[in-house]
Amino acid sequence: MSGVLIGALFSIHAAMGAKYATLAFFVVVLAGMGYVPGVLVAALVLGLLQSFFTVYVGGRYTLAALFLVMYGVLLITRRGS
C-alpha cells in the first residue's frame, strides 16, 4: 500500500524503493524485531534526526548520519534499542 502511495507522489523508476527500504531497515534494526513501541520510537527519532540533519548540514550526508547512529546504537547495545 505504501508503494502505491509513494508511486502516486513521485516518478516511478527501477531504483525508487532503495531509499525507503534502507530507512525501513534502519528502523527495524534500531527498534528490534517485533517490538511495535520500539518501531514507533525509532521511526520518530530517525525522522527527526533526518530532518534536522538535512536542514542544518545538507541532504547529501543524511543516510550516512543515520547509518552512524545505527552503528553507534549497535556498538552500545548488541540487540538494538
Side-chain angles (χ1 to χ4, degrees):
M1 184 171 158
S2 63
V4 171
L5 293 174
I6 289 173
L9 295 174
F10 302 108
S11 64
I12 297 174
H13 53 88
M16 71 179 291
K19 179 181 177 184
Y20 301 108
T22 304
L23 294 175
F25 175 72
F26 287 168
V27 168
V28 169
V29 167
L30 290 177
M33 269 310 232
Y35 186 61
V36 176
V39 169
L40 295 174
V41 171
L44 180 67
V45 168
L46 286 180
L48 289 173
L49 179 69
Q50 181 180 7
S51 296
F52 286 130
F53 199 86
T54 301
V55 168
Y56 293 116
V57 177
R60 289 182 93 157
Y61 304 110
T62 303
L63 284 178
L66 296 180
F67 179 76
L68 288 175
V69 167
M70 183 182 72
Y71 183 70
V73 168
L74 289 176
L75 279 178
I76 294 170
T77 61
R78 299 285 185 203
R79 295 181 55 226
S81 291

